[in-house]
C-alpha cells in the first residue's frame, strides 16, 4: 500500500557549517553528516527538543557527499573533489581508499555502500561536470554516471555500469543479492544483480518517481530503503531530455550561469525490496529545501539533510 502523508518537521538543528548533503544514523540514535568545508559532525539528543548536541569528529579536506557507516565504527566518505575516503570517527584519521577508475580521476564521487565481505560499491555522478556544476549535468542529460566496485585490498575499482544518468544514492538489498542505484537525472532506481543467474545485469527497479532521487538509506529495523527526493518532477526538464544532444549541451551551458532556487516542495519515499512504495511523505511550501539525504533514527525520527541548508531537519516519527 502506498501510504501518502504529510512530512511533518519538528525542529531544525543548525550546524556550524553549510550543506549537510547526506545523513546516516548509528545504532545509538545519533546522526552523522558532513558539511561543505570538509568537517564531519555527529549529532545526538535529537529526541529532546532544543537539546541536540553537535560533536566534531573529523575533517576530510574536501567536500563530503555520501556517507556509509561501517560495522567497526569507521565511516566511508565520498569526497566530491575526487576520492573515496575512510574516516576513523574515534581519532579522526582519514585514509584514501581510491582516487581513480580506469585511469580517470573520480571527478564527482557521490555515494558508497559496503557489503559484509568488505567490498565497497560507489557511484560517480558525472564524468563531465563537478559538484558545483551539477545542474549542467542534470540539464544536459549526459549519461556519464558510473557504478564501481572496490574489492577488499584493492586500490582501484572496476566499472560495473557506465552510461548512468547522474548516478547517486546506493543501497544493498536485504539479502545482498542486488544493489539499488539512484539515477537522479532519469527519476528512477536501477537494480544491479550481484548474485544468481542474472549476475552482472541491470534492470529498472522503480521508474517514474515523483521527484529526483538523491541519497538512499536502508533502515536496519524494518529493511525499508528510504529515498531523498531532491526536487519534484519538472515537466520542462523531461521534454528537454528528449531533445537532441546539441540542444541539451547548449541548455546545460546556460544552466551553469542561471540562478537556481530549490523548489519549496520536498519529499521522501520508503520502498521495500520488491519496489513497493510503503511511505510517500511530502510537504509543499517547505522552509527546508532540496532534501538530498534522509535517515531514520532508532526512535523512529526522520532526519533530513540538504545540500542547500545550514542544518538538518528532524521530522515526526514514522
Amino acid at each position: 500500500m502506498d501510504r501518502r502523508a504529510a512530512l511533518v518537521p519538528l525542529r531544525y538543528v543548525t550546524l556550524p557549517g553549510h550543506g549537510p548533503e547526506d545523513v546516516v544514523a548509528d545504532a545509538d540514535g545519533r546522526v552523522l553528516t558532513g558539511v561543505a568545508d570538509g568537517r564531519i559532525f555527529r549529532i545526538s539528543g535529537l529526541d529532546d527538543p532544543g537539546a541536540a548536541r553537535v560533536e566534531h569528529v573529523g575533517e576530510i579536506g574536501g567536500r563530503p557527499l555520501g556517507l556509509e557507516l561501517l560495522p567497526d565504527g569507521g565511516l566511508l566518505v565520498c569526497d566530491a573533489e575526487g576520492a573515496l575516503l575512510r574516516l576513523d570517527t574515534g581519532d579522526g584519521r582519514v585514509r584514501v581508499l581510491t582516487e581513480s577508475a580506469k585511469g580517470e580521476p573520480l571527478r564527482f564521487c557521490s555515494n558508497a555502500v559496503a557489503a559484509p565481505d568488505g567490498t565497497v560499491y560507489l557511484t560517480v555522478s558525472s564524468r563531465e561536470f563537478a559538484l558545483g556544476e551539477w545542474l549542467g549535468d542534470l540539464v544536459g542529460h549526459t549519461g556519464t554516471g558510473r557504478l564501481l566496485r572496490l574489492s577488499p585490498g584493492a586500490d582501484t575499482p572496476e566499472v560495473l555500469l557506465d552510461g548512468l544518468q547522474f548516478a547517486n544514492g546506493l543501497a544493498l538489498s536485504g539479502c545482498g543479492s542486488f544493489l539499488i542505484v539512484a539515477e537522479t537525472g532519469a527519476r528512477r532506481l536501477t537494480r544491479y544483480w550481484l548474485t544468481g543467474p542474472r549476475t552482472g545485469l541491470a534492470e529498472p527497479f522503480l521508474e517514474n518517481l515523483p521527484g529526483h532521487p538523491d541519497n538512499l538509506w536502508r533502515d536496519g529495523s524494518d529493511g525499508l530503503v528510504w529515498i531523498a527526493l531532491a526536487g519534484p518532477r519538472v515537466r520542462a526538464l523531461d521534454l528537454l531530455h528528449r531533445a537532441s544532444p546539441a540542444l541539451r549541451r547548449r541548455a546545460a551551458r546556460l544552466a551553469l550561469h542561471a540562478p537556481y532556487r530549490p523548489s519549496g516542495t520536498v519529499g521522501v519515499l520508503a520502498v521495500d525490496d520488491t519496489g513497493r512504495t510503503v511511505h510517500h511523505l511530502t510537504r509543499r511550501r517547505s522552509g527546508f529545501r532540496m532534501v538530498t539525504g534522509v535517515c531514520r533514527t532508532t526512535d523512529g525520527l526522520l532526519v533530513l539533510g540538504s545540500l542547500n541548508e545550514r542544518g538538518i531537519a528532524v521530522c515526526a516519527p514514522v
Side-chain angles (χ1 to χ4, degrees):
M1 180 177 64
D2 184 350
R3 297 174 54 192
R4 296 175 185 266
L7 187 62
V8 181
L10 295 179
R11 57 193 171 279
Y12 183 88
V13 179
T14 302
L15 299 175
H18 179 267
E21 196 266 350
D22 195 14
V23 286
V24 293
D26 67 15
D28 296 317
R30 301 172 300 184
V31 168
L32 289 99
T33 191
V35 295
D37 64 8
R39 288 177 294 167
I40 307 294
F41 296 110
R42 181 164 48 211
I43 306 117
S44 56
L46 293 174
D47 57 338
D48 183 5
R53 297 177 296 279
V54 179
E55 173 192 3
H56 174 245
V57 297
E59 51 191 282
I60 66 166
R63 205 308 175 196
L65 293 180
L67 308 175
E68 167 83 347
L69 276 166
L70 299 173
D72 63 1
L75 184 70
L76 293 178
V77 183
C78 291
D79 179 0
E81 297 176 4
L84 175 67
L85 310 171
R86 176 195 162 96
L87 170 70
D88 188 319
T89 57
D91 60 18
R93 287 185 300 177
V94 176
R95 180 161 61 94
V96 176
L97 299 183
T98 187
E99 296 179 289
S100 64
K102 279 196 170 180
E104 295 182 25
L106 301 183
R107 182 178 179 84
F108 193 159
C109 186
S110 188
N111 205 267
V113 68
D117 67 356
T119 301
V120 175
Y121 300 92
L122 61 150
T123 55
V124 172
S125 291
S126 175
R127 293 164 62 199
E128 292 189 17
F129 294 92
L131 174 63
E133 305 166 325
W134 66 267
L135 190 58
D137 193 279
L138 207 62
V139 169
H141 211 49
T142 69
T144 58
R146 282 176 162 178
L147 172 66
L148 310 177
R149 174 168 55 200
L150 184 66
S151 299
D155 57 10
T156 303
E158 58 183 307
V159 178
L160 299 181
L161 288 177
D162 212 335
L164 299 175
Q165 292 293 349
F166 205 96
N168 208 326
L170 277 176
L172 192 65
S173 69
C175 62
S177 62
F178 61 87
L179 283 168
I180 301 170
V181 187
E183 290 188 75
T184 304
R187 289 192 298 107
R188 71 180 170 221
L189 304 181
T190 294
R191 171 163 44 198
Y192 179 83
W193 287 99
L194 299 173
T195 64
R198 298 181 64 81
T199 298
L201 296 179
E203 63 186 13
F205 181 72
L206 195 58
E207 297 186 283
N208 297 315
L209 294 173
H212 294 272
D214 204 292
N215 287 308
L216 308 181
W217 185 78
R218 176 170 290 279
D219 192 333
S221 63
D222 57 17
L224 295 179
V225 174
W226 286 90
I227 306 158
L229 299 177
R233 178 186 180 187
V234 179
R235 294 186 182 275
L237 187 61
D238 291 345
L239 291 172
L240 180 60
H241 287 173
R242 293 194 284 271
S244 69
L247 179 59
R248 296 200 309 268
R249 283 194 295 270
R250 288 197 296 271
R253 287 195 295 270
L254 291 173
L256 293 178
H257 303 287
Y260 176 76
R261 177 171 171 76
S263 168
T265 298
V266 298
V268 298
L269 297 173
V271 302
D272 63 19
D273 278 346
T274 69
R276 179 178 66 103
T277 299
V278 179
H279 299 289
H280 181 187
L281 308 177
T282 62
R283 186 174 184 84
R284 298 181 64 187
R285 296 184 292 276
S286 171
F288 188 90
R289 296 170 181 255
M290 197 175 181
V291 175
T292 52
V294 57
C295 67
R296 187 168 175 262
T297 70
T298 50
D299 295 316
L301 296 169
L302 273 187
V303 179
L304 310 180
S306 170
L307 186 68
N308 188 66
E309 298 288 342
R310 292 195 62 86
I312 60 173
V314 182
C315 301
V318 176

